[in-house]
């Protein structure tokens, strides 16, 4: 940096004049301290991003890999309680809107949806932060990634994939971790000119 070069020049002039140190202040340590603080800030930011990524991985793991798909004889009529149907285990990533899935005690909800039949108690703490399980019945909305603690229900899928509330939360958290606030960007620009001008 300019401060370091200036200090070297003063030292060289002192040696040339036969003095141990030339008159005037030296700034040998200024550039090293400044660079150390900048590197420390970058390291702390990188560490925060890494922690955020680990947290996001944990959130995404809440979504189940498979789901129990409900196969009806006639999809053109509304679903009724007691209606007979077949079941098929499918990959959750293959689910589509308006399909029906069965959710049971101990399972994770594969996608956002609305309950058509049955009643369940859902642990939504990992999404909403609410510690008490929520009771859900017909027409209630259920979020993908939450856990069924009691009951059984038939769920009509409303959102899948990147449209799920869980995916949106992960996306917002990732954007917040990766992007700087406008005031932070402004401070970085100002400090770059300030440091160059002073040192």
């Amino acid at each position: 940096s300019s401060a370091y070069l200036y200090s070297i020049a003063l030292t060289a002039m002192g040696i040339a004049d036969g003095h141990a140190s030339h008159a005037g202040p030296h700034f040998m340590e200024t550039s090293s301290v400044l660079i150390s603080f900048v590197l420390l800030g970058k390291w702390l930011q990188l560490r925060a991003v890494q922690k955020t990524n680990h947290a996001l991985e944990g959130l995404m793991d809440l979504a189940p890999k498979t789901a129990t798909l409900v196969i009806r004889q006639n999809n053109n009529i509304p679903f009724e309680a007691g209606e007979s149907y077949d079941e098929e285990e499918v990959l959750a990533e293959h689910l589509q809107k308006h399909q029906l899935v069965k959710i049971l005690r101990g399972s994770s909800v594969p996608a956002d949806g609305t309950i058509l039949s049955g009643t369940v108690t859902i642990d939504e703490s990992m999404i909403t932060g609410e510690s008490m399980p929520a009771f859900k019945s017909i027409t209630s909305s259920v979020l993908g990634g939450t856990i069924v603690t009691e009951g059984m229900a038939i769920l009509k899928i409303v959102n899948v994939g990147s449209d799920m509330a869980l995916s949106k939360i992960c996306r917002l958290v990732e954007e917040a971790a990766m992007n700087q606030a406008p005031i932070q960007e402004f401070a970085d620009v100002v400090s770059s000119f300030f440091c160059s001008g002073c040192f």
Side-chain angles (χ1 to χ4, degrees), residues 7-66:
S7 299
I8 290 178
L10 284 180
T11 303
M13 291 172 63
I15 293 173
D17 292 342
H19 299 288
S21 71
H22 196 268
H26 290 216
F27 302 100
M28 288 287 192
E29 75 287 352
T30 302
S31 58
S32 60
V33 171
L34 182 61
I35 292 172
S36 298
F37 274 116
V38 171
L39 292 177
L40 176 62
K42 295 293 184 182
W43 178 76
L44 291 174
Q45 184 179 10
L46 178 62
R47 187 178 178 186
V49 171
Q50 289 175 341
K51 286 186 176 181
T52 301
N53 289 336
H54 288 310
L56 290 176
E57 290 174 2
L59 278 177
M60 293 307 297
D61 287 341
L62 294 175
K65 300 295 186 275
T66 60

